[in-house]
Amino acid sequence: MKSASLRYLLLSRLLPAMLLLLVAGAATAYWTAWRSATKAYDRALFDAVLAIADQLQIVDGKPQLPLTPQARAVLLTDKFDEMFYAVRRADGALLDGDARLLVPPRGSPRRSSDAERFYFDGHIEAEPVRVSALETEHGGQRVTILAAETLVKRNALVQEILLGMLVPELALSFVSLIVVWVGIGAGLRPLQTLREELSGRSPTDLRPVRVGVPEEIQPVVTEINALLDRLAHSLTAQRNFVADAAHQLRTPVAALQAQVEAALGAPREEHGQAMQGILRATQRLSHLITQMLALARAEPAAGDVPEHLSLPDLIRHSAESYLPRAFERQIDLGFELTPAEVAGNPLLLQELLANLLDNALRHTPEGGTITVHCGQVDGEAQLCVEDSGPGIREEDRTRVFERFFRAAGSPNDGTGLGLAIVREIARQHGGHVEAGRSTSLGGACLSVRLPASRRHDPANVQAS
């Protein structure tokens, strides 16, 4: 599916708002123009009403309007509009003027005011007119004087004012649209620069992106750099793994090949001994491959959702497979477990414990002792494996966690990967591992510290 353009997406958000503002501006301009024209011409129309009121006389107790034909012509003459007038008594009887001009009753919606002076909109033979009226008293009689005109001048003034306001507003809107279009293009230019920076790189160029971008886009660049850093770490780990595998597998494969060649050339009565050598070589190769695959699995586990795990339960589950091996060599494998919880990958943590136990069983002599501790220390979960073996020399206590490092006097069947796996899994879970000397058993003490889970509940875990 084709993705929408960010430029058009921004315009689709801005244009409706601009159109709404334009419509609101037009409505405001129309109301302003209409109100201004109405007020101006209503005042002029009321002047005609006042002129008629000045000419009104009382003859024989009756109001009369003695206007000459010339005066009437002057009163009703207008260059643009047709004029009308009427004078009516309080009972509505017409005294003079156009009978088509009627007085709306008080309280009628047509009247703009209930005072003596008021205005209203009317019709004369379907022609809309504006009417100005004055209720006054002459000789003790109430009369209403009305003057009306058509709307030609008013509509022309409204159109003139509206046009004078809308043309600049339309021009301003057009200029604003151009400015917005150019501004959006300028604002999106850093994204184009970022795209060119990334598209011009080779697959192996994982250097951080150094592009000047606005503050709003900077988090995106930061995340891209973080992703490139993780990719660089992952690729480095893969390259190291491939190099280590190529180097380390060469020796056991060569040994296995030599054992097979020796078996082929040995007399029939020595075939059993030769097959034992092949079996041992195969077992060493299998163990090395297993360890290397475990190391490869331990390194890039990003995206795993951590689980809340009980450390004592995890130890019980993992240690069951090592008890027969300990009984075979008459090793006292004991556990001192107190409540502790961690958040992590259960398979990797089981792999961590399995490598610690495998390392202890390999270095502990027959009849020796291995003790596994766990608990909380200084707000962290601690897992400790102690043994009664020869221990680790002080100068080797940091190097034992390096890949393929084997201290002097180590068993020949080791691969040098077990403790490297332990360090990698601990680091992946936000913890660390240390090697020291066991004060109670005299051998090695390997201690792993991991962040304690926030969901820790001692009541749910019982010590063994």
Side-chain angles (χ1 to χ4, degrees):
M1 184 176 66
K2 186 178 179 181
S3 58
S5 167
L6 184 57
R7 182 192 297 270
Y8 288 103
L9 185 63
L10 292 174
L11 286 176
S12 67
R13 299 293 189 272
L14 292 173
L15 287 180
M18 293 180 64
L19 181 61
L20 182 62
L21 289 175
L22 184 61
V23 172
T28 303
Y30 177 80
W31 181 83
T32 302
W34 175 84
R35 195 163 185 266
S36 300
T38 300
K39 281 189 174 183
Y41 286 110
D42 278 355
R43 292 191 188 101
L45 188 60
F46 189 72
D47 289 340
V49 173
L50 293 178
I52 296 173
D54 289 341
Q55 298 297 321
L56 193 62
Q57 299 178 3
I58 303 297
V59 178
D60 297 331
K62 297 180 180 181
Q64 293 183 0
L65 189 62
L67 293 176
T68 63
Q70 293 80 7
R72 291 176 185 272
V74 171
L75 181 63
L76 300 178
T77 298
D78 188 275
K79 184 178 180 180
F80 300 100
D81 286 299
E82 186 177 356
M83 301 291 295
F84 311 91
Y85 80 95
V87 180
R88 293 182 179 274
R89 288 202 304 254
D91 59 1
L94 180 66
L95 297 177
D96 196 356
D98 197 321
R100 294 174 294 179
L101 275 179
L102 302 176
V103 180
R106 286 183 175 271
S108 171
R110 293 175 61 196
R111 293 180 62 158
S112 59
S113 171
D114 284 336
E116 293 182 351
R117 170 182 173 177
F118 59 93
Y119 305 90
F120 62 92
D121 296 317
H123 289 83
I124 295 180
E125 295 180 353
E127 179 75 17
V129 294
R130 180 68 173 173
V131 184
S132 175
L134 175 66
E135 291 183 353
T136 184
E137 186 173 339
H138 277 269
Q141 295 189 38
R142 297 288 295 181
V143 294
T144 303
I145 304 170
L146 304 100
E149 66 180 1
T150 54
L151 307 179
V152 176
K153 295 192 303 289
R154 297 168 185 261
N155 292 337
L157 181 59
V158 169
Q159 292 175 5
E160 183 179 346
I161 296 176
L162 188 61
L163 190 63
M165 296 180 68
L166 284 183
V167 169
E169 189 172 347
L170 288 171
L172 181 60
S173 299
F174 181 72
V175 173
S176 299
L177 183 61
I178 295 176
V179 171
V180 168
W181 180 271
V182 175
I184 290 176
L188 296 179
R189 193 168 296 119
L191 290 178
Q192 177 67 17
T193 304
L194 178 61
R195 187 193 69 82
E196 293 173 354
E197 164 74 13
L198 294 175
S199 64
R201 292 193 174 196
S202 66
T204 59
D205 187 358
L206 299 178
R207 293 177 292 109
V209 176
R210 305 295 183 190
V211 177
V213 295
E215 182 180 353
E216 291 78 7
I217 306 178
Q218 186 58 48
V220 178
V221 177
T222 301
E223 292 302 322
I224 290 176
N225 287 335
L227 176 62
L228 291 175
D229 182 65
R230 293 193 295 270
L231 286 174
H233 177 74
S234 177
L235 290 176
T236 301
Q238 289 181 7
R239 284 194 292 267
N240 291 339
F241 177 79
V242 171
D244 292 339
H247 179 267
Q248 295 298 324
L249 289 175
R250 187 180 297 113
T251 300
V253 169
L256 178 61
Q257 181 180 354
Q259 292 284 352
V260 172
E261 291 174 351
L264 290 175
R268 181 178 297 273
E269 59 273 10
E270 296 180 6
H271 277 185
Q273 183 179 357
M275 293 303 294
Q276 287 294 330
I278 293 174
L279 177 61
R280 287 192 296 271
T282 305
Q283 289 173 341
R284 286 195 297 270
L285 179 60
S286 175
H287 180 65
L288 175 61
I289 293 174
T290 301
Q291 292 287 79
M292 295 189 72
L293 291 177
L295 181 61
R297 185 180 64 177
E299 288 178 342
D304 289 348
V305 178
E307 300 180 22
H308 294 276
L309 306 168
S310 168
L311 206 52
D313 291 344
L314 195 70
I315 293 172
R316 294 190 192 99
H317 180 74
S318 300
E320 290 179 356
S321 59
Y322 287 87
L323 288 174
R325 185 174 165 188
F327 292 153
E328 181 182 352
R329 300 186 58 204
Q330 298 181 352
I331 293 176
D332 180 13
L333 179 57
F335 302 89
E336 297 178 4
L337 310 180
T338 56
E341 283 197 3
V342 296
N345 185 310
L347 295 178
L348 293 182
L349 291 176
Q350 289 175 10
E351 188 70 35
L352 179 147
L353 178 60
N355 280 278
L356 289 176
L357 289 173
D358 180 77
N359 181 79
L361 288 170
R362 287 179 183 276
H363 292 84
T364 301
E366 292 188 8
T369 302
I370 297 175
T371 303
V372 180
H373 307 268
C374 80
Q376 280 196 280
V377 178
D378 299 330
E380 292 183 311
Q382 183 182 46
L383 170 63
C384 183
V385 178
E386 298 179 285
D387 62 62
S388 60
I392 303 173
R393 295 185 303 176
E394 188 171 354
E395 59 269 23
D396 293 336
R397 288 176 185 173
T398 57
R399 298 192 62 197
V400 291
F401 299 106
E402 297 176 2
R403 297 179 181 181
F404 305 110
F405 175 79
R406 298 177 64 193
S410 298
N412 293 329
D413 58 348
T415 62
L417 285 174
L419 295 184
I421 296 172
V422 171
R423 181 181 65 175
E424 191 62 39
I425 295 176
R427 181 185 299 167
Q428 195 177 117
H429 285 76
H432 62 279
V433 59
E434 296 177 350
R437 184 172 184 80
S438 172
T439 56
S440 58
L441 301 181
C445 175
L446 294 170
S447 175
V448 178
R449 292 281 191 98
L450 300 171
S453 172
R454 294 183 179 180
R455 228 178 55 174
H456 172 63
D457 184 5
N460 295 334
V461 184
Q462 297 180 354
S464 297

